[in-house]
Structure formats: structure tokens, C-alpha cells
Amino acid sequence: MTFDQLLNYFDGQSYREIEKQTGISLAQLTYYKQHGIPEGRQAILELQTGGKLKADVPPLIKLQDLEHG
């Protein structure tokens, strides 16, 4: 997920309001805006939003590996 997707989910709420709802500090939000949201935090946000935001995480196992294993 992108930072813009996170902001859109919270529909223009202030960073302080997003901080209250997610537990992400203002400093972290600013960092994420500049550098992107780490995969681990994206996974947490996906859970916190009931799947409305989707984490961009690579699959742990490729299907081809399962088929040939």
C-alpha cells in the first residue's frame, strides 16, 4: 500500500487522528510519507482495517516450488 492509500482510507483526517487510530507516531507517519510504508507495518494496517487496505508483501512460497517439491 502507498502512503496516499493510507491517507485516503482515513479520508483527510489529521495525522494526529491517524496516530490515535493506528498507533503510528507522527514521526513515523512523516517517515512513511517520504520513504514508503514498510511491509511489516503494511501487514498490521491490513489487519487493523479489516483488509480494506492491502499490504504489498511478496509471497513467502512460490506456487512453482510447491508443484515441483
Side-chain angles (χ1 to χ4, degrees), residues 6-7 9-10 13 17 19-21 23-25 28 31 33 40-43 47 50 52 64-65 67 69:
L6 176 65
L7 289 181
Y9 176 80
F10 286 100
Q13 294 181 28
E17 192 58 37
E19 176 185 36
K20 286 180 192 176
Q21 293 185 42
I24 302 171
S25 72
Q28 284 178 306
Y31 179 86
K33 181 179 181 179
R41 177 58 79 173
Q42 288 184 40
L47 292 172
K52 291 180 181 165
Q64 302 94 308
D65 294 343
E67 292 169 356

Side-chain angles (χ1 to χ4, degrees), residues 11-58:
D11 198 27
Q13 294 181 28
S14 71
Y15 280 21
R16 288 211 185 277
E17 192 58 37
I18 295 170
E19 176 185 36
K20 286 180 192 176
Q21 293 185 42
T22 64
I24 302 171
S25 72
L26 297 175
Q28 284 178 306
L29 287 170
T30 301
Y31 179 86
Y32 295 164
K33 181 179 181 179
Q34 295 171 351
H35 303 283
I37 305 170
E39 291 173 354
R41 177 58 79 173
Q42 288 184 40
I44 292 167
L45 286 165
E46 183 173 334
L47 292 172
Q48 287 178 318
T49 63
K52 291 180 181 165
L53 290 174
K54 298 290 184 196
D56 296 324
V57 292

